[in-house]
Amino acid sequence: MSVSLSYPHDPSSNAPRPLAAETVWAVAAQLREAVARRESPWAIDPKDLVAAATRLEVNRHRVDVHWDFAHAVHDEDRQPVLGICETDPTAPGIALVSINTALLANRPDLMLSTVAHELGHVVFDVPAATRQPARRYRSVSAGPHSFDGATVREERRANEFMGALLVPPVPLHLRLVAHARAERLRMVHAPHHGRVGCRVLARDTAPEAVGGVISALAGDFGVSDRFIAVRLQRYRLIEGGRL
């Protein structure tokens, strides 16, 4: 059974139109609904994510995703990368996704985020990749690589999709409120992208208290502290946060 996803696109090329962050979040929410969460109401297991994303229907076009966790993965310069999404014009509608398990064996949070990042490329880049081979990878470090403008946009979009898929705004906000109340931290009214009617964490909260809440949230969602910090900022869940 395939998962159906949709977003504004050019019908002639299947390429995404310029998408606001909220639109990317909505696409991630479509996929998240199809992922089983057997052990946690908040965190996603990479195996469950892969199981849900083997056959997709993106803007009414079928995409079959072939996953490989058994081989080392390199970029064009033979440098190791965390994951890669490839397409071949001789096999339209197929995405070949390889995850560098050897680099990720002791980092379950990084394994999860890499799978989700590459899925972002599958969802937004594969439907339009019909004319020539294409490769999109998640590097170990951004330092050695230089990207053109289009690739930078694709990478940012894949990261935004990854973030909203693993840590959506409303569930994150609900858990933030729960932890803040448990610690008796001050919450205030401010604009945000989370649960309607809920307050956000006050900007004058002590840094050590913020750090404690971030660590608790990271445990809830199975990601790193840094991952949570970025999502809190993106959703404006700490007073004064901005997009």
Side-chain angles (χ1 to χ4, degrees):
M1 183 176 179
S2 62
V3 178
S4 295
L5 308 173
S6 62
Y7 51 80
H9 64 289
D10 183 341
S12 63
S13 66
N14 295 325
R17 298 193 186 281
L19 303 176
E22 292 87 343
T23 303
V24 176
W25 302 345
V27 178
Q30 295 173 33
L31 180 55
R32 185 178 172 92
E33 283 296 314
V35 181
R37 291 190 294 281
R38 293 170 291 183
E39 298 183 3
S40 167
W42 314 106
I44 290 177
D45 187 286
K47 293 180 182 178
D48 292 331
L49 183 53
V50 168
T54 56
R55 179 176 296 175
L56 304 175
E57 186 180 88
V58 182
N59 294 324
R60 299 186 178 181
H61 292 273
R62 175 171 163 173
V63 177
D64 291 321
V65 188
H66 296 188
W67 294 89
D68 177 13
F69 290 83
H71 299 90
V73 187
H74 303 87
D75 64 12
E76 294 87 346
D77 299 321
R78 304 302 299 169
Q79 296 299 312
V81 293
L82 301 178
I84 192 166
C85 175
E86 299 179 276
T87 58
D88 188 327
T90 64
I94 293 178
L96 307 173
V97 180
S98 299
I99 305 297
N100 202 335
T101 303
L103 286 179
L104 300 169
N106 297 317
R107 287 290 306 274
D109 61 315
L110 199 52
M111 169 71 79
L112 177 60
S113 63
T114 298
V115 170
H117 176 94
E118 296 307 329
L119 262 179
H121 288 307
V122 171
V123 170
F124 293 106
D125 301 328
V126 169
T130 58
R131 298 178 182 176
Q132 59 184 6
R135 310 179 86 216
R136 303 287 184 270
Y137 52 80
R138 191 182 192 200
S139 62
V140 179
S141 169
H145 305 286
S146 60
F147 298 128
D148 59 31
T151 302
V152 168
R153 287 191 296 273
E154 292 165 359
E155 291 301 315
R156 288 176 175 169
R157 187 172 57 212
N159 277 337
E160 201 63 56
F161 176 86
M162 168 193 72
L165 177 63
L166 302 184
V167 185
V170 171
L172 178 62
H173 199 177
L174 291 173
R175 295 306 295 154
L176 171 65
V177 170
H179 289 300
R181 285 176 176 171
E183 298 297 326
R184 298 183 179 180
L185 302 179
R186 190 166 72 93
M187 306 289 286
V188 299
H189 289 291
H192 60 74
H193 295 291
R195 175 71 178 269
V196 175
C198 285
R199 300 183 181 189
V200 302
L201 197 61
R203 76 174 77 211
D204 59 358
T205 304
E208 60 271 20
V210 174
V213 169
I214 286 176
S215 293
L217 291 168
D220 289 338
F221 289 92
V223 297
S224 68
D225 287 15
R226 174 60 181 163
F227 197 111
I228 291 294
V230 170
R231 299 328 295 170
L232 290 172
Q233 180 185 40
R234 295 295 285 151
Y235 304 145
R236 304 178 70 181
L237 298 182
I238 297 179
E239 183 186 15
R242 51 185 170 76
L243 291 175

